[in-house]
Amino acid sequence: MSITKESFGKTSDGQNVDLYTLTNSNGLKTKIITFGGYIISLQVPDRNGKFADIVLGYDTLEQYVNDSTYLGSLIGRFGNRVAKGKFTLNSIEYTLATNNGPNHLHGGIKGFNKVVWNAQPIDDPNRPGLKLTYLSKDGEEGFPGNLSCTVIYTLTNNNELKISYEATTDKATIVNLTSHGYFNLAGHNSGDILGHELMINADNYTPADETLIPTGQIAPVKGTNVDFTKSTAIGARIAKVTGGYDHNFVLNNKKGKLGLAARVCEPKTGRVMEIHTTEPGIQFYSGNFLDGSAKGKGAVYNKHNGFCLETQHFPDSPNKPNFPSVVLKPCEKYTHLTVHKFSVK
Ligand code: BGC
């Protein structure tokens, strides 16, 4: 078990970027950079003990700086969409960048994926960890309040990658932090993920309009092509879903309690990833917009070559009073824990 640090280069404005490697007692290994908190590699074994890197990623800092797909980054302040980039809090209307058609997406032009985080290694013999902190200033990307954020990545000897998030503010604001890993459990360079079998622990989802803004309805998945209550190959019905999967699911878990969100199994290698979270929702995105322009680690990433399962509050929550609140007030603490547990079948 260890955590090691090396340089990953310098941003154009002269900030040093480091790469940390966390290794557990079973040989699982993950590499995280302080720019955007990107997970750039994650090595886990298959049913024969053979390790492969199961996250899509690039080779150089320059590629991460220019990345527009959030290929493994942290996301903030607000993951997913805010309709027309507008929300009102305490009678004040705030305007955010509209960087996804008419809407705001993933924190704006310079979201948490584009900043250098302060890092502190946690050299615990049983669970190496990396603590990242970032102070997002009042008004940054249009959001109110100085938001002080901490994200801790931990690799346990139970083969879990834990991501815990905390944030506090000095003015009422909105927060929705997540991690945007693109997984391919057969290995990042193994082509499409359509054969992966996916179960999502959600009886309901949030139907959305053509710009992916929820209608506000919480609808049953039963009888639809987004019913993953029973483990189903991602590719089984994808042709019937316009554009592919890009849906937010309403998890069956108890509010704020760590519960099972999803289980993915890759039949050829036997690799299984289970996701547990305290968040109320999860966005399942089937890599629809990968088009071969993202290339890294010797691979070219085409459509559906990776999938994302982003634990989160529901899209456009700031404008949907019936969705769980994303408002954070001074004196409160935002917390979110997501655990990725790896095993084999
Ligand atoms: C969104 C997709 C988007 C992707 C990468 C996902 O969270 O739901 O629509 O294309 O992130 O930008």
Side-chain angles (χ1 to χ4, degrees):
M1 293 139 286
S2 65
I3 173 159
T4 58
K5 171 184 167 183
E6 62 201 272
S7 172
F8 198 66
K10 245 185 201 183
T11 59
S12 56
D13 59 352
Q15 297 184 76
N16 288 321
V17 175
D18 292 319
L19 160 62
Y20 285 86
T21 303
L22 280 57
T23 310
N24 80 357
S25 59
N26 307 313
L28 267 80
K29 204 185 273 273
T30 187
K31 291 179 185 282
I32 295 156
I33 55 170
T34 55
F35 178 84
Y38 279 85
I39 299 174
I40 72 168
S41 150
L42 177 58
Q43 300 264 353
V44 306
D46 68 5
R47 63 164 79 86
N48 300 315
K50 190 168 172 249
F51 281 81
D53 183 354
I54 58 150
V55 292
L56 279 53
Y58 300 115
D59 302 298
T60 65
L61 178 58
E62 199 191 346
Q63 286 176 295
Y64 282 104
V65 169
N66 296 324
D67 171 50
S68 59
T69 59
Y70 308 87
L71 209 71
S73 69
L74 290 174
I75 302 283
R77 283 189 201 189
F78 201 88
N80 216 301
R81 293 170 177 81
V82 177
K84 313 270 190 292
K86 300 263 186 214
F87 69 97
T88 301
L89 194 55
N90 296 338
S91 313
I92 304 169
E93 189 186 66
Y94 294 95
T95 302
L96 309 172
T98 45
N99 55 334
N100 186 253
N103 303 316
H104 173 85
L105 180 70
H106 293 336
I109 309 295
K110 192 173 178 190
F112 290 3
N113 56 310
K114 295 267 182 236
V115 302
V116 179
W117 292 66
N118 291 312
Q120 200 184 315
I122 307 170
D123 208 353
D124 181 324
N126 293 316
R127 42 177 65 205
L130 180 66
K131 181 176 175 178
L132 297 178
T133 55
Y134 177 66
L135 174 68
S136 172
K137 297 264 176 65
D138 187 12
E140 186 176 297
E141 286 294 329
F143 294 98
N146 288 295
L147 188 76
S148 170
C149 303
T150 301
V151 177
I152 302 178
Y153 289 103
T154 314
L155 196 57
T156 74
N157 289 333
N158 292 327
N159 294 354
E160 297 158 324
L161 175 64
K162 293 190 174 181
I163 313 177
S164 85
Y165 309 77
E166 278 183 12
T168 53
T169 182
D170 59 1
K171 206 193 259 181
T173 191
I174 58 168
V175 189
N176 194 20
L177 307 182
T178 192
S179 161
H180 207 293
Y182 286 70
F183 296 91
N184 185 328
L185 299 183
H188 77 97
N189 51 353
S190 301
D192 74 61
I193 45 77
L194 300 179
H196 285 54
E197 289 156 9
L198 169 67
M199 186 285 297
I200 302 178
N201 184 21
D203 293 333
N204 294 288
Y205 75 117
T206 54
D209 68 16
E210 65 284 355
T211 72
L212 297 182
I213 295 297
T215 59
Q217 203 194 352
I218 307 269
V221 294
K222 205 177 162 72
T224 73
N225 293 315
V226 300
D227 184 353
F228 283 95
T229 50
K230 287 198 189 70
S231 184
T232 309
I234 293 175
R237 298 163 301 185
I238 200 166
K240 297 185 198 151
V241 181
T242 314
Y245 291 104
D246 202 349
H247 295 76
N248 172 66
F249 292 79
V250 178
L251 294 170
N252 293 335
N253 300 328
K254 284 214 183 73
K255 186 170 179 245
K257 290 265 178 291
L258 189 67
L260 178 66
R263 185 183 299 114
V264 194
C265 175
E266 200 288 304
K268 289 194 205 107
T269 59
R271 288 195 186 91
V272 177
M273 176 172 74
E274 241 178 38
I275 298 180
H276 295 251
T277 190
T278 55
E279 286 294 282
I282 196 165
Q283 182 88 8
F284 167 45
Y285 168 58
S286 52
N288 313 323
F289 301 116
L290 293 172
D291 60 3
S293 46
K295 301 180 180 84
K297 304 190 283 193
V300 177
Y301 302 128
N302 288 303
K303 192 170 179 176
H304 305 319
N305 282 191
F307 67 87
C308 304
L309 284 164
E310 302 146 65
T311 52
Q312 60 175 13
H313 271 63
F314 309 163
D316 201 31
S317 295
N319 298 307
K320 298 287 186 303
N322 61 320
F323 287 179
S325 173
V326 288
V327 174
L328 181 72
K329 299 183 187 131
C331 307
E332 292 177 343
K333 191 191 262 184
Y334 165 89
T335 59
H336 163 184
L337 173 66
T338 291
V339 181
H340 295 77
K341 177 149 177 57
F342 297 98
S343 59
V344 289
K345 200 164 119 175

